[in-house]
Amino acid sequence: MKYIALLISFLWVQSVFAQSKLPVIKATSKNVAINDGGYLDKNAWSLNPNIKLDVFTADRTRKTKWVTFYTDIDSIRVKVKPGTKYNFVVVLNGRDSFYTQIASAIHPASLLSNTIAKPDTIPFTLTAYNAIQVTSVINNTDTLNLHFDLTSFDFHLTKDAIVKKTKLLSNQPDALAGKTTPNYNNLNKVFKLQMGTIIWNTPEVIPTMVTAHDMDGRFGWNLFEGKQVEIDYDHHLLIIHSKLPKALKGYVRSKLGFTHSYAYIKGTFEVADKKFTGNFLMDIGSEQALILDSTWAGRQGFSKDLKVIKTSILHDPRGVKYETRTVLSPIFKLNGFELTNVPTLILGSKNPSGFEINYLGNDLFKRFNIILDFKNDYIYLKPNKLTGLKYRA
């Protein structure tokens, strides 16, 4: 059986690359730099001999862009359109061939018109830490609590939950008995994952150490590419539509932007006679209201005259300390809606995301019913019954 599986895998790779005269670039080093639509990462890629087809997924955009791979001695430049992929070969030291693919983050199927009229519904609980908690069942047997995370991708399960709440390590009895360290790269297959009325067959599940308070893992926005996701806090439902709902009275629309494949929206502070407009990722796994990038805040000259209501030290999963200040912002506007006296946490060090961006936490975001249109890249907001709640300090 092992040899048959290897043969099938080999034939699959051959079929992927069954093109006449595939483009070839040369290299004498495994390290590859990538320019993705104008963003150059000198340490983006490493040639991996253990992967038969190595796929680089370009940052999400609905615009056509160029992606360039740079080896130490050669390069290839590829035009990437939504729904496309491009195959080529990297030859290392004149001997070893690395089959490589550059793919759009937007799957071709998400570009097609969906005729399914009935939406899927996923009940959720809003936790004491402002996380959207969803009961999820893996392989018909294991029940976990996952949170919906707009700053994440795919499915992630915590290593602790994998050990204690699933049968994904049943093939490693010594690890379950505590005799050896679990090999999280050799989990049993997840053949089914269900949340509410929606089912994913053979989804990729990634182990993690990071998730919201008291959660067993998280699931990201890209699972709903090409669809409309309605977050109804009044009725505690995620509703997945194949076409935009017609009942949009009271909703205000604005454009969704994307950076590094993360969706963001614009928001504006008003302080005295000054306005400060920035881009905000939607971190609905965060218990905070607003979190500002220290570089953005410094460059804008933000918060100089605002009242400091709290200082604290945060630790990330690696143990790195981040000193923060929380100030009280008199006015923050989102989609034309005005929110007053919003606690605003300002990071005291470099943004852990690696690029300049602010965050909209769920202590603010939960005050709106939301429709995220991942087919046309718009967001719709409407104030809900949580609007008048007191913010966390």
Side-chain angles (χ1 to χ4, degrees):
M1 291 297 294
K2 178 179 179 181
Y3 296 105
I4 293 174
L6 287 172
L7 177 60
I8 292 173
S9 177
F10 174 78
L11 292 174
W12 176 77
V13 172
Q14 292 302 307
S15 68
V16 169
F17 288 90
Q19 305 175 12
S20 60
K21 295 184 179 180
L22 265 181
V24 174
I25 60 173
K26 300 176 181 179
T28 62
S29 168
K30 290 185 178 182
N31 297 323
V32 177
I34 300 176
N35 187 316
D36 184 351
Y39 294 98
L40 176 64
D41 186 345
K42 294 181 180 180
N43 302 302
W45 194 261
S46 181
L47 301 175
N48 189 338
N50 298 317
I51 299 177
K52 295 179 177 63
L53 174 61
D54 213 351
V55 180
F56 172 77
T57 302
D59 286 339
R60 184 193 185 280
T61 179
R62 292 194 178 277
K63 297 179 180 179
T64 299
K65 65 176 178 178
W66 291 96
V67 174
T68 307
F69 269 50
Y70 299 94
T71 70
D72 58 330
I73 59 173
D74 207 348
S75 67
I76 188 168
R77 186 169 182 249
V78 175
K79 183 182 286 188
V80 178
K81 299 179 180 179
T84 61
K85 57 187 178 182
Y86 186 90
N87 300 321
F88 62 99
V89 181
V90 183
V91 177
L92 179 65
N93 295 322
R95 308 188 296 271
D96 302 319
S97 295
F98 295 80
Y99 296 99
T100 308
Q101 183 180 97
I102 298 174
S104 165
I106 297 177
H107 194 273
S110 70
L111 300 172
L112 301 176
S113 297
N114 196 326
T115 58
I116 300 174
K118 187 177 180 180
D120 285 299
T121 57
I122 304 174
F124 72 81
T125 300
L126 186 64
T127 73
Y129 296 99
N130 287 323
I132 294 176
Q133 174 184 304
V134 172
T135 300
S136 309
V137 180
I138 291 178
N139 294 346
N140 297 320
T141 58
D142 305 328
T143 300
L144 302 175
N145 290 323
L146 307 184
H147 76 93
F148 183 35
D149 189 350
L150 288 172
T151 60
S152 185
F153 310 97
D154 305 314
F155 291 103
H156 289 74
L157 300 183
T158 65
K159 293 181 178 180
D160 188 60
I162 289 172
V163 172
K164 296 179 180 179
K165 294 189 175 184
T166 77
K167 299 177 181 63
L168 299 180
L169 281 171
S170 63
N171 60 340
Q172 301 179 48
D174 287 345
L176 290 176
K179 296 178 181 179
T180 61
T181 301
N183 180 359
Y184 293 100
N185 294 319
N186 187 31
L187 300 177
N188 288 333
K189 186 176 182 179
V190 176
F191 59 82
K192 178 182 178 182
L193 193 154
Q194 181 167 0
M195 296 188 294
T197 63
I198 191 168
I199 294 173
W200 285 268
N201 294 310
T202 62
E204 181 181 9
V205 173
I206 304 167
T208 184
M209 296 292 290
V210 182
T211 192
H213 284 282
D214 300 330
M215 295 292 103
D216 299 316
R218 62 187 190 272
F219 59 103
W221 73 265
N222 66 313
L223 298 168
F224 308 107
E225 178 69 79
K227 297 181 179 295
Q228 289 80 27
V229 179
E230 181 177 354
I231 307 176
D232 184 344
Y233 287 98
D234 288 331
H235 300 95
H236 289 182
L237 288 175
L238 294 177
I239 307 171
I240 314 303
H241 301 272
S242 59
K243 57 183 179 181
L244 193 66
K246 293 181 179 180
L248 295 176
K249 184 178 180 180
Y251 282 94
V252 175
R253 187 182 80 164
S254 66
K255 192 69 177 174
L256 277 177
F258 285 84
T259 179
H260 301 274
S261 292
Y262 296 102
Y264 69 83
I265 56 178
K266 290 188 177 295
T268 299
F269 294 95
E270 293 186 3
V271 182
D273 58 345
K274 295 182 179 179
K275 293 183 179 182
F276 305 91
T277 299
N279 297 332
F280 292 80
L281 299 187
M282 297 165 285
D283 189 357
I284 58 175
S286 171
E287 60 187 293
Q288 307 294 328
L290 289 166
I291 303 173
L292 299 187
D293 184 288
S294 58
T295 303
W296 181 88
R299 185 166 49 79
Q300 295 280 340
F302 182 81
S303 84
K304 290 182 178 180
D305 301 319
L306 295 181
K307 179 182 177 181
V308 177
I309 59 176
K310 185 179 179 181
T311 59
S312 59
I313 300 292
L314 301 179
H315 297 80
D316 71 9
R318 299 166 296 174
V320 178
K321 296 180 180 180
Y322 298 95
E323 182 178 347
T324 68
R325 291 179 298 126
T326 301
V327 300
L328 200 62
S329 297
I331 297 175
F332 180 72
K333 289 187 175 180
L334 190 69
N335 270 34
F337 297 109
E338 182 176 295
L339 300 107
T340 58
N341 296 321
V342 184
T344 304
L345 186 151
I346 304 175
L347 295 174
S349 56
K350 187 177 180 180
N351 193 322
S353 68
F355 55 94
E356 183 181 308
I357 196 72
N358 302 309
Y359 299 87
L360 231 173
N362 217 31
D363 194 24
L364 187 150
F365 218 41
K366 71 182 182 184
R367 298 160 196 273
F368 298 91
N369 286 345
I370 303 157
I371 298 174
L372 296 153
D373 181 356
F374 293 126
K375 189 175 185 66
N376 303 294
D377 295 348
Y378 285 100
I379 183 171
Y380 299 75
L381 298 180
K382 181 175 74 171
N384 60 32
K385 65 184 180 181
L386 302 179
T387 301
L389 286 182
K390 183 179 179 180
Y391 290 98
R392 289 174 177 266

